[in-house]
Amino acid sequence: MKILDLSAGDRDFLAEVESRSGQNLKTCYQCGNCTAGCPYTFAYDIPVSQVMRLIQAGQREMVLNSKSLWLCASCQSCTTRCPNEIDVAKVMDVCRHMARESGCVSERTTKLFTDAFLQSVETHGRAYELGLMARYTLKSGRFFDNIALGPTALLHNKLSFKPHPIQGKEQVARIFERFRKGE
Amino acid sequence: MRIGVFICHCGSNIAGTVDCESVVEIAAGFPEVVYATDSMYTCSEPGQEGIITAIHEHNLDGVVVASCSPRMHEPTFRRAVERAGLNRYMFEMANIREHVSWIGKDKAHNTNKAADLVLMAVEKLRRNRPLVAKSFTTVKKVLVIGGGVAGIQAALDCADGGLDVVMVERDQSIGGKMAKLDKTFPTIDCSSCVLGPKMVDIAQHEKISLYACSEVESVSGYVGNFSVTIRRRATYVDWTKCTGCGVCTEKCPSKRSPDPFNEFLGTTTSINIPFPQAIPKKAAINPDTCMKLQKGKCGICAKVCPVGCIDYEQQDELVTVEVGAIVVATGYDLFDWHKYPQYGEGRYPDVITSLQYERLLSASGPTGGHIKRPSDGKEPKNVVFIQCVGSRDRSVDRPYCSGFCCMYTAKQAILTKDHIPDSQSFVFYMDIRAPGKGYDEFTRRAMEEYGAQYVRGRVAMIYPHGDQLIVRGADTLAGTQVEVPADLVVLATGVEASQGAVKLGETLRVVPDQFGFFVESHPKLKPVETNTAGVYLAGACQGPKDIPTSVGQGSAAAAKALGLLSKEQLESDPAVSKVNVNRCVGCQKCIDTCPFGAIKAVTDRMGRLKAEVIETVCQGCGICTVTCPQGAIQLEHFTDNQILAEVNALCPPKMNNVSFE
Amino acid sequence: MSAQDEQRELRIVGFLCNWCSYGGADTAGVARFIQPTDLRIIRVPCSGRIDPLFIVRALLNGADGVLVSGCHPRDCHYAEGNFYARRRLEMLKRFLPITGIDERRFEYTWVSASEGQRWQHVVTEFTRRIHELGPAPFFNPVSEEEWAKLALDGAARGASCACHG
Amino acid sequence: MAKIAYYPGCSGQSTSVEYDLSTRAVCRELGLELVDLEDWSCCGSTPAHTVNHVLSAALSARNLALTEQLGMDLVTTPCPSCLSNLRTAAHKMEDADFRAKANALLDTPCTKQVTAQSVLQVIMEQVDPELIRAKVVKPLTGLKLACYYGCIMNRPPALMQFDNHEHPMVMDNLMTMLGAEVVPYPLKVECCGASFGVPRVDIVTKLAGKLLDAGRELDVDAFVTACPLCQMNLDMRQGQINSALQEKFRIPVFYYTQLLGYALGIDRKELGLKKLCVNPKPVFNKLKETAQAS
Ligand SMILES: Cc1cc2nc3c(=O)[nH]c(=O)nc-3n(C[C@H](O)[C@H](O)[C@H](O)COP(=O)(O)OP(=O)(O)OC[C@H]3O[C@@H](n4cnc5c(N)ncnc54)[C@H](O)[C@@H]3O)c2cc1C
Ligand SMILES: Cc1cc2nc3c(=O)[nH]c(=O)nc-3n(C[C@H](O)[C@H](O)[C@H](O)COP(=O)(O)OP(=O)(O)OC[C@H]3O[C@@H](n4cnc5c(N)ncnc54)[C@H](O)[C@@H]3O)c2cc1C
Ligand code: SF4
Ligand code: SF4
Ligand code: SF4
Ligand code: SF4
Ligand code: SF4
Ligand code: SF4
Ligand code: SF4
Ligand code: SF4
């Protein structure tokens, strides 16, 4: 196990997460309620309460490389029940932003899906599910995961073969464009 | 006036950063100062002697000491000047230690500032006048409000000490929460075995009168002489005759009356004696469920009562008593855990409170001491305890620790194993707070000898699964989520101020904190006193407290009351407000604003309305002085003139060529 | 000695209630929390004893700043003295600009007996503010007398003056 | 008829067409006129806010601005995920600085405060329950249902401000009103696996499997949902779940609008019942039997 040198903790990391999320993380007293309610704990490498702890201890690398960031579904159960009224889901969100910014991607497939989804929105103005599945499948190389669903979905006319582009799709594209410029 | 000034070095505490000799020199030039000197330790014996000698030798009639905070040594020096024959109000203090030498490094600035402070004191002193305390007699009787273990202890100690005691209890019986407990930590002795005899003592003590089913309606007067009105609620039973035989309760056909004594785990009869050891052991009718009082039908209890004491027409009664001191011991209530929707809000009958669990454990409880879960009466095997429910939780506005729930949870885990040897307890906790004598050993025993499994983490949710409840929590030490299928879940619900505490506080002029617990006079040095003279606190009404501490406080409050009333006469602080009747126009504004009701309206010989201060009630806040549009009511020792003299000493009007005086 | 220390002291008057803020200032002293030395403290039993007149008088007499401090809102030793104080001082703050006095020269705050650190902060900040404002301007004696009268009148009228409600 | 701006959301055009169809049918029947936002765009869903909060808000705000252009200040959507995004954007834009940042990404800024509500909330709050009761022609008597709300319909409570966040009841009440027996389903707000169906099938099969299991435990005839993602994970993925967990679930999963529409006597075609992956036939057979029996 990694031994932490607490004095070498990155205080700026705590400050940055606090200011970007607007949350006071010093109030977290490690009760574990967030972890207790998080449906994804079984899939996490670091339970959400320990993510909070590691932020307090300024462990930037461990946090930003955690798979948990990418597996959080923003289900809000942690936020809803935290006795210190910390918006934990927002903190997870912010850490994910920071991970993305610093190029840490420990769950590649999740990121690919997110990217494919947004790509689809940027192109068509709306999510085009078949297209985004195709793009995701190509990029991730995970051909078999959802292949079984294909027939079920198509049989029930669930997925449309054509995207539903909108007239204002340039407007939407410009949202992304301006966003990237501003970054 | 002949004023003497004494500048203290406090060793190097003051002299280190203040040039004391210079201050002496400057002070010697202040108006009416005839003597100025310095002294190494003014409060020491030689220091005080120095003051006394100087008063005699220089014929001083006023003294200024520049030293530490008056909050520290003002009483000391007042006694010293009094020993020299001066009135103790002919003394002023300048705080050149806490407010000068300890907070500033610049010696020149400090010296200058110290001299300013001495000048302010001199200017104020020049306007002081001797004040003489009035003495008054006291009523040798104590009111104890609340008959929990703290109030019981206070009442018995006062009565044994020779005072008459009036105890007012809101419920039908005294005993408070302790009467509902099964066994008590850390000794696991039976609660009613230790409390029962004390309750009987209350009933039998010739100096104690007990008013149960009663509440304090209003209080007037002041320390030594309070006048208290008590409302005795109608019980529909003449308690002077009732023998507590219980015949009525056996025959009452209305058996679905809520049973607060058993924490609503079962129901009881409309006419009822809450428990066999109740004191007073008298029956009372619940008017909400009695068929006679609701619908005019029944009347069975009146028929069967062998002494004929049922009275369906009975009304509330007001009683007035005069007392010299008041002990407040109104205890606490439990947090309403329904505020946690994730624990089911009451939808799951097998999620209960810790106090309900005490009733299930108790041999005199609704299940005769067998742990049967409410849903189906089955004996539980997996029992989950959740600590800090409604404590240490900002999201429900309860940031504080309830103090004793860690301990009673350990106790309940131990008792669970005693009752059901093949059971397994799980305790979800955040920290274990067990700071008393033998307490930590006790919680260790719960884990080590009784095998309770302690899990560090909160519980996020409880949901039913089959006939069990799934408790989903975290084990933060193992670093993961955990689930326990439970047969029974016991919530260690937190402690809240007792219902109605804020209102009672208003009646008694005792301030509640933001959570409704009464505020003590000083958190360390006056833990059972309040800021209202003659009113004391005992037990959990001041904050969460276990039985030993509550009892200790009961005795401490009794000692305070006994000490107070042991004096034949009390002296009032003469620094109170005084009305100049010539200026007073009788507008009564002061009467409206005085928070202590210390001012009354009187008519003078000419029949004109005037204000008059009741010296013994006035607390000396000076709110009235600021309120009076005529400047007619002045707080002695802090008059407008005195304070303005200090202002002028600091900012001389001549600076702007204007004179106000 | 730093330049700050050598700077000329300004005249700042403090009115502190005996139970809370005076104790807080003591606590700060006991903890040796270094503070600027400009402030001199007048002890009163309760913030409810502070007549706005005292403050006006200090300012008219040439004080560069006045600081009032009492118990926290629900904490008053006299149950509700600080509640009265708050109302009066709030009115005063609105009244000051009418008299030509910069209302930033007056501040009121709440400090409890245990809040030594807070007291240090309050004093340091207020003193810094007064130094930024500089010494109080000299009053024209004539109009000043008028103002003094006005202020005293205000106190006397009482009934119509909300400061004295 | 009360006019209300309507935002169908992307899934309403693909995986949850039947939700969109039945919502429109039910609203029409209940006297709510849905006015489609012309040329609406994707709200960004979860992916957007996991990338950046301003980007996410801007994608939603474009639609809030469209609502504003219709002269309305309330937009309604059937999808909780869209709802959550629209509400979050609206809430964040109460802050002027944030609003400026989000508007800077848009061609047409959103200047007014527009609120979003779920269609469910609108139906429950704006339609007289007596009207619904009166219109029921085919009661759901005899059906045993589990109402599953999903994780974000009511959470976090401060943002969503609708129903009990741990134990929501509106769908339960609605179904009871239609004559169904509603079981006290314990996992009403547990997460179904959300959009991890694509990147992490293992996660979804486990979480959704747990939900199905709790329903089977209570012996329900069907699930009722109000969220396209929940419905898809429980219904379309039921086969996937069965093979991953070696189970044999066959529990139909309806949108509440489908059952409501059925009870109101709306033509089946308009409810898109054919689109359901787990065949709902047994449910309707059971309903017929009870109807005949009585
Ligand atoms: C589940 C549980 C288990 C516990 N186990 C233990 C244990 O094993 N050991 C231990 O040391 N402590 C234990 N405690 C703590 C114990 O209950 C308290 O320490 C003790 O009861 C405090 O006594 P009290 O007299 O201050 O207050 P209370 O017991 O609350 O008594 C207050 C009394 O005042 C009355 N009253 C309230 N308001 C008014 C009013 N306005 N007018 C007149 N009367 C009024 C009430 O009716 C009551 O009779 C336990 C507590 C709980 C909840
Ligand atoms: C480092 C530290 C910090 C603390 N901080 C705090 C704090 O911040 N707040 C707080 O509330 N508490 C604090 N405490 C605890 C506090 O010290 C005790 O609560 C308190 O001192 C107990 O007072 P006492 O009178 O019972 O005992 P003591 O202070 O021990 O006094 C006992 C006296 O009896 C005398 N004595 C002993 N034996 C005999 C004998 N046979 N004959 C005659 N005289 C005898 C001793 O000389 C002594 O003067 C602290 C303690 C420590 C160690
Ligand atoms: S629930 Fe809140 S306080 Fe508890 S561990 Fe999680 S973030 Fe910390
Ligand atoms: S929001 Fe994320 S971290 Fe919080 S409980 Fe849901 S999945 Fe877990
Ligand atoms: S009087 Fe105060 S300052 Fe002087 S020696 Fe005593 S404690 Fe120190
Ligand atoms: S029967 Fe009469 S005397 Fe006996 S308990 Fe009842 S009321 Fe009292
Ligand atoms: S009159 Fe009332 S209390 Fe008496 S027996 Fe009848 S129901 Fe019971
Ligand atoms: S005593 Fe223990 S259980 Fe009770 S509030 Fe404090 S820490 Fe929690
Ligand atoms: S406020 Fe002044 S004038 Fe009015 S009654 Fe009181 S003392 Fe008299
Ligand atoms: S000083 Fe005045 S207001 Fe204060 S208690 Fe005395 S009479 Fe009442």
Side-chain angles (χ1 to χ4, degrees):
Chain A
M1 249 192 186
K2 193 182 164 204
I3 292 175
L4 305 182
D5 175 357
L6 292 179
S7 67
D10 182 350
R11 303 299 295 175
D12 294 344
F13 179 55
L14 170 64
E16 191 180 342
V17 176
E18 285 194 331
S19 81
R20 289 178 67 161
S21 65
Q23 305 300 308
N24 181 356
L25 296 189
K26 289 173 234 69
T27 61
C28 168
Y29 54 20
Q30 285 298 304
C31 68
N33 209 342
C34 44
T35 293
C38 176
Y40 294 82
T41 304
F42 78 93
Y44 280 9
D45 58 345
I46 304 176
V48 49
S49 56
Q50 287 185 1
V51 171
M52 304 297 280
R53 182 71 191 137
L54 291 168
I55 299 172
Q56 284 178 336
Q59 301 300 316
R60 185 191 293 267
E61 246 178 73
M62 283 180 83
V63 171
L64 297 191
N65 284 309
S66 156
K67 287 188 195 305
S68 309
L69 300 184
W70 298 92
L71 297 177
C72 161
S74 304
C75 78
Q76 308 290 337
S77 130
C78 48
T79 295
T80 303
R81 295 176 187 144
C82 172
N84 290 308
E85 298 179 317
I86 301 172
D87 189 341
V88 187
K90 193 168 181 192
V91 173
M92 292 294 274
D93 233 14
V94 161
C95 289
R96 194 162 32 209
H97 300 165
M98 291 168 70
R100 214 172 233 282
E101 288 160 19
S102 49
C104 306
V105 182
S106 47
E107 271 286 317
R108 203 174 134 263
T109 55
T110 312
K111 176 170 183 291
L112 286 178
F113 175 72
T114 305
D115 292 350
F117 185 98
L118 292 175
Q119 181 65 250
S120 169
V121 176
E122 183 167 0
T123 316
H124 308 294
R126 289 185 194 157
Y128 166 43
E129 286 171 331
L130 206 57
L132 93 86
M133 285 291 283
R135 191 191 312 266
Y136 166 77
T137 313
L138 281 176
K139 287 218 169 181
S140 65
R142 302 192 70 117
F143 295 104
F144 301 106
D145 282 4
N146 280 289
I147 218 82
L149 282 186
T152 326
L154 294 177
L155 186 71
H156 293 270
N157 259 334
K158 285 270 185 182
L159 297 174
S160 72
F161 281 100
K162 273 186 282 168
H164 302 266
I166 61 170
Q167 281 159 10
K169 66 181 182 187
E170 277 78 27
Q171 294 176 9
V172 176
R174 278 196 291 274
I175 295 179
F176 283 89
E177 214 171 285
R178 291 190 192 107
F179 166 69
R180 271 191 289 268
K181 234 186 270 162
E183 268 210 316
Chain B
M1 200 180 224
R2 295 177 61 79
I3 296 176
V5 176
F6 300 81
I7 313 292
C8 185
H9 289 233
C10 200
S12 64
N13 276 314
I14 294 172
T17 59
V18 173
D19 181 352
C20 293
E21 286 82 3
S22 298
V23 179
V24 170
E25 251 168 63
I26 302 170
F30 290 156
E32 302 188 299
V33 172
V34 296
Y35 179 73
T37 186
D38 53 349
S39 150
M40 191 48 92
Y41 293 104
T42 319
C43 61
S44 66
E45 237 177 288
Q48 294 192 37
E49 277 315 305
I51 296 177
I52 294 172
T53 320
I55 291 174
H56 293 314
E57 278 178 7
H58 299 275
N59 217 5
L60 303 177
D61 45 19
V63 169
V64 169
V65 172
S67 58
C68 48
S69 171
R71 285 164 56 96
M72 169 120 179
H73 273 320
E74 193 171 60
T76 316
F77 294 123
R78 278 184 173 168
R79 283 194 297 272
V81 300
E82 208 162 41
R83 282 204 300 282
L86 294 189
N87 179 279
R88 66 173 118 123
Y89 286 88
M90 299 309 286
F91 166 77
E92 284 299 328
M93 231 171 144
N95 184 348
I96 62 168
R97 193 179 72 174
E98 283 84 345
H99 291 188
V100 181
S101 71
W102 278 351
I103 59 161
K105 289 198 197 114
D106 182 335
K107 198 159 187 173
H109 281 173
N110 279 357
T111 306
N112 191 11
K113 182 172 174 185
D116 275 356
L117 297 190
V118 174
L119 176 62
M120 279 162 59
V122 168
E123 287 295 343
K124 173 158 190 265
L125 177 62
R126 289 172 65 199
R127 291 156 182 84
N128 282 12
R129 46 181 217 101
L131 300 176
V132 186
K134 282 237 168 76
S135 1
F136 55 92
T137 56
T138 57
V139 183
K140 309 277 181 232
K141 194 186 252 184
V142 179
L143 169 72
V144 177
I145 309 174
V149 68
I152 290 174
Q153 185 67 34
L156 290 175
D157 284 356
C158 286
D160 288 345
L163 297 175
D164 286 318
V165 175
V166 176
M167 175 177 271
V168 174
E169 167 58 53
R170 186 163 62 186
D171 282 354
Q172 197 178 336
S173 167
I174 59 170
K177 300 288 182 300
M178 192 177 166
K180 300 184 180 187
L181 304 183
D182 175 36
K183 304 212 166 52
T184 54
F185 65 77
T187 46
I188 316 237
D189 44 1
C190 154
S191 184
S192 57
C193 311
V194 285
L195 184 66
K198 280 187 182 284
M199 289 168 59
V200 175
D201 287 349
I202 294 277
Q204 295 181 345
H205 208 298
E206 54 180 14
K207 285 194 155 306
I208 300 178
S209 8
L210 173 60
Y211 295 90
C213 283
S214 300
E215 274 180 81
V216 170
E217 181 102 344
S218 65
V219 175
S220 61
Y222 48 90
V223 56
N225 293 277
F226 294 105
S227 175
V228 182
T229 309
I230 299 165
R231 174 178 292 272
R232 308 188 67 177
R233 279 201 317 276
T235 57
Y236 309 98
V237 174
D238 181 349
W239 280 9
T240 57
K241 291 197 224 146
C242 173
T243 60
C245 68
V247 171
C248 54
T249 65
E250 278 164 28
K251 295 283 176 328
C252 173
S254 160
K255 300 197 190 303
R256 304 202 56 81
S257 205
D259 186 358
F261 184 75
N262 282 317
E263 290 289 309
F264 305 100
L265 278 172
T267 54
T268 182
T269 44
S270 284
I271 188 162
N272 182 35
I273 301 171
F275 56 107
Q277 302 84 0
I279 296 290
K281 195 170 182 184
K282 308 281 177 191
I285 293 179
N286 179 342
D288 298 335
T289 56
C290 165
M291 300 188 293
K292 174 81 179 169
L293 291 169
Q294 286 294 322
K295 299 191 191 117
K297 289 184 210 128
C298 184
I300 292 177
C301 49
K303 285 191 203 103
V304 297
C305 173
V307 292
C309 60
I310 308 287
D311 173 8
Y312 299 118
E313 306 291 307
Q314 201 182 61
Q315 299 290 320
D316 287 7
E317 188 189 338
L318 293 178
V319 185
T320 303
V321 294
E322 310 291 325
V323 299
I326 298 175
V327 175
V328 189
T330 47
Y332 66 99
D333 277 328
L334 290 184
F335 175 82
D336 175 14
W337 63 275
H338 294 91
K339 287 177 192 154
Y340 286 105
Q342 60 267 44
Y343 295 165
E345 288 171 295
R347 280 188 307 275
Y348 317 134
D350 294 332
V351 178
I352 61 172
T353 70
S354 51
L355 204 52
Q356 288 177 324
Y357 198 52
E358 291 282 342
R359 296 313 300 147
L360 290 186
L361 289 167
S362 167
S364 64
T367 52
H370 298 290
I371 306 176
K372 294 181 184 165
R373 57 184 210 166
S375 61
D376 53 11
K378 273 196 205 143
E379 193 178 69
K381 294 292 178 241
N382 280 356
V383 182
V384 170
F385 296 90
I386 306 177
Q387 292 195 169
C388 300
V389 175
S391 302
R392 308 175 65 198
D393 184 343
R394 282 175 216 196
S395 69
V396 294
D397 194 29
R398 294 288 174 270
Y400 55 84
C401 167
S402 292
F404 51 68
C405 8
C406 279
M407 286 301 295
Y408 73 57
T409 301
K411 170 187 77 177
Q412 294 181 339
I414 288 175
L415 293 174
T416 305
K417 195 79 185 171
D418 275 347
H419 279 68
I420 313 170
D422 62 343
S423 67
Q424 174 65 52
S425 294
F426 300 86
V427 179
F428 283 90
Y429 73 101
M430 289 206 290
D431 296 286
I432 297 175
R433 303 205 160 156
K437 183 151 89 177
Y439 283 19
D440 197 58
E441 297 91 315
F442 184 79
T443 57
R444 303 287 326 150
R445 263 172 59 208
M447 296 172 225
E448 294 164 7
E449 288 173 35
Y450 292 84
Q453 189 167 339
Y454 272 65
V455 186
R456 198 212 165 273
R458 269 193 187 261
V459 168
M461 63 189 292
I462 302 172
Y463 63 93
H465 187 260
D467 71 346
Q468 284 186 310
L469 295 160
I470 306 295
V471 177
R472 185 190 291 171
D475 183 335
T476 60
L477 301 181
T480 191
Q481 196 179 78
V482 292
E483 284 191 340
V484 189
D487 301 308
L488 182 68
V489 178
V490 181
L491 307 177
T493 38
V495 172
E496 284 194 338
S498 112
Q499 236 189 42
V502 172
K503 196 165 151 269
L504 182 68
E506 275 167 24
T507 311
L508 296 167
R509 289 199 193 86
V510 173
V511 188
D513 67 16
Q514 59 170 311
F515 304 110
F517 294 112
F518 296 126
V519 175
E520 67 284 9
S521 193
H522 187 284
K524 283 179 285 275
L525 299 180
K526 291 180 174 178
V528 299
E529 279 125 299
T530 68
N531 283 334
T532 301
V535 180
Y536 307 105
L537 304 175
C541 64
Q542 181 262 352
K545 255 175 231 60
D546 62 6
I547 295 165
T549 318
S550 300
V551 170
Q553 280 212 335
S555 287
K560 288 286 165 191
L562 282 162
L564 177 83
L565 301 178
S566 67
K567 303 189 190 87
E568 270 320 304
Q569 298 218 304
L570 290 183
E571 272 191 356
S572 58
D573 183 345
V576 295
S577 277
K578 203 172 167 196
V579 179
N580 177 339
V581 285
N582 294 328
R583 284 186 129 185
C584 173
V585 297
C587 69
Q588 309 205 22
K589 285 202 159 57
C590 53
I591 299 180
D592 292 341
T593 41
C594 173
F596 300 94
I599 313 176
K600 59 182 180 192
V602 292
T603 37
D604 66 5
R605 269 176 306 169
M606 322 276 286
R608 289 174 307 201
L609 218 51
K610 297 284 175 188
E612 189 178 291
V613 175
I614 311 160
E615 273 182 52
T616 40
V617 183
C618 172
Q619 303 281 313
C621 63
I623 293 168
C624 55
T625 308
V626 185
T627 305
C628 175
Q630 302 296 319
I633 186 164
Q634 286 288 328
L635 175 61
E636 294 277 16
H637 209 58
F638 289 98
T639 62
D640 285 347
N641 272 340
Q642 288 174 304
I643 296 172
L644 284 171
E646 289 182 88
V647 173
N648 286 339
L650 281 178
C651 318
K654 64 177 179 303
M655 266 168 55
N656 285 329
N657 300 321
V658 186
S659 165
F660 289 98
E661 278 181 306
Chain C
M1 203 180 275
S2 71
Q4 167 77 39
D5 289 334
E6 273 177 311
Q7 198 180 358
R8 186 171 91 83
E9 271 191 348
L10 292 179
R11 182 105 321 190
I12 303 177
V13 184
F15 292 94
L16 271 65
C17 81
N18 178 49
W19 301 97
C20 293
S21 296
Y22 196 91
D26 281 359
T27 307
V30 173
R32 314 295 202 274
F33 291 146
I34 299 302
Q35 300 153 38
T37 50
D38 312 50
L39 174 82
R40 279 104 175 93
I41 293 170
I42 295 177
R43 180 167 72 125
V44 291
C46 171
S47 54
R49 172 68 190 95
I50 299 165
D51 197 320
L53 169 66
F54 302 158
I55 297 155
V56 173
R57 173 73 75 87
L59 290 167
L60 288 177
N61 279 11
D64 302 307
V66 175
L67 178 64
V68 168
S69 186
C71 311
H72 283 276
R74 295 193 51 161
D75 246 16
C76 178
H77 180 81
Y78 300 104
E80 48 197 37
N82 51 5
F83 160 73
Y84 286 108
R86 200 207 318 233
R87 268 194 12 215
R88 290 170 182 147
L89 299 174
E90 200 39 61
M91 284 311 294
L92 176 69
K93 225 172 161 39
R94 278 186 237 160
F95 168 80
L96 282 179
I98 309 173
T99 68
I101 294 172
D102 190 336
E103 79 270 22
R104 285 171 299 177
R105 294 191 181 277
F106 162 62
E107 194 53 81
Y108 66 92
T109 182
W110 322 111
V111 173
S112 81
S114 56
E115 293 175 325
Q117 192 113 45
R118 180 173 151 79
W119 176 248
Q120 176 192 39
H121 177 77
V122 164
V123 174
T124 311
E125 280 307 298
F126 187 68
T127 310
R128 197 181 47 77
R129 183 202 293 181
I130 298 303
H131 277 270
E132 269 167 25
L133 292 172
F138 201 75
F139 271 94
N140 177 335
V142 182
S143 68
E144 185 203 333
E145 255 187 296
E146 280 168 14
W147 278 123
K149 266 207 208 89
L150 230 170
L152 288 165
D153 268 19
R157 268 185 286 119
S160 59
C161 172
C163 316
H164 292 77
Chain D
M1 260 205 219
K3 281 193 182 183
I4 297 163
Y6 180 66
Y7 175 83
C10 301
S11 59
Q13 304 205 312
S14 56
T15 48
S16 69
V17 261
E18 67 271 40
Y19 193 15
D20 182 51
L21 275 175
S22 54
T23 299
R24 291 175 190 274
V26 160
C27 286
R28 190 196 56 222
E29 191 65 29
L30 295 177
L32 298 167
E33 188 186 336
L34 301 180
V35 183
D36 278 48
L37 290 188
E38 195 103 3
D39 208 37
W40 56 270
S41 50
C42 175
C43 69
S45 192
T46 313
H49 75 74
T50 62
V51 169
N52 184 284
H53 288 153
V54 177
L55 173 67
S56 160
L59 288 172
S60 289
R62 181 173 178 274
N63 300 298
L64 296 175
L66 292 177
T67 312
E68 186 183 330
Q69 284 152 30
L70 281 179
M72 300 195 184
D73 58 5
L74 173 71
V75 59
T76 178
T77 176
C79 170
S81 174
C82 302
L83 177 71
S84 167
N85 275 317
L86 294 170
R87 281 189 79 96
T88 305
H91 174 72
K92 285 198 166 158
M93 285 170 67
E94 281 169 20
D95 177 66
D97 285 350
F98 189 91
R99 178 181 287 268
K101 275 192 217 156
N103 275 340
L105 302 187
L106 295 178
D107 281 8
T108 317
C110 174
T111 54
K112 287 220 186 67
Q113 202 58 49
V114 176
T115 48
Q117 283 185 353
S118 63
V119 174
L120 180 62
Q121 181 171 5
V122 170
I123 291 179
M124 294 314 280
E125 289 177 356
Q126 299 198 11
V127 178
D128 181 0
E130 285 315 313
L131 176 81
I132 301 181
R133 269 194 204 103
K135 279 182 169 271
V136 173
V137 291
K138 293 193 215 157
L140 305 182
T141 322
L143 270 200
K144 205 167 169 189
L145 300 174
C147 293
Y148 169 60
Y149 294 73
C151 58
I152 50 172
M153 177 118 94
N154 310 55
R155 293 195 307 207
L159 177 71
M160 304 312 275
Q161 306 202 347
F162 178 54
D163 209 353
N164 182 320
H165 58 274
E166 292 284 355
H167 204 264
M169 281 304 286
V170 289
M171 274 205 284
D172 292 51
N173 295 341
L174 181 62
M175 290 302 136
T176 314
M177 207 148 81
L178 304 179
E181 177 195 348
V182 182
V183 301
Y185 184 66
L187 301 175
K188 285 179 175 177
V189 297
E190 278 287 287
C191 186
C192 63
S195 50
F196 285 105
V198 181
R200 288 287 301 263
V201 181
D202 58 322
I203 290 183
V204 174
T205 48
K206 176 161 173 143
L207 293 179
K210 209 168 177 175
L211 297 173
L212 289 170
D213 185 44
R216 181 174 57 190
E217 191 89 22
L218 293 165
D219 199 21
V220 299
D221 296 317
F223 274 89
V224 188
T225 67
C227 169
L229 214 55
C230 300
Q231 199 276 344
M232 180 173 79
N233 282 343
L234 293 182
D235 179 44
M236 190 166 93
R237 293 189 185 280
Q238 212 169 92
Q240 223 175 13
I241 294 165
N242 282 338
S243 48
L245 305 180
Q246 316 220 318
E247 283 282 7
K248 290 198 187 96
F249 294 118
R250 272 207 80 75
I251 311 176
V253 184
F254 292 98
Y255 288 104
Y256 77 94
T257 42
Q258 293 179 304
L259 288 180
L260 174 58
Y262 174 86
L264 297 180
I266 295 173
D267 186 63
R268 282 168 160 239
K269 277 195 210 94
E270 281 196 78
L271 301 175
L273 292 170
K274 281 248 161 62
K275 304 252 170 196
L276 297 178
C277 298
V278 176
N279 193 344
K281 214 168 186 150
V283 170
F284 295 110
N285 286 344
K286 188 170 178 188
L287 277 176
K288 272 192 207 116
E289 279 164 30
T290 23
Q292 277 159 10
S294 63

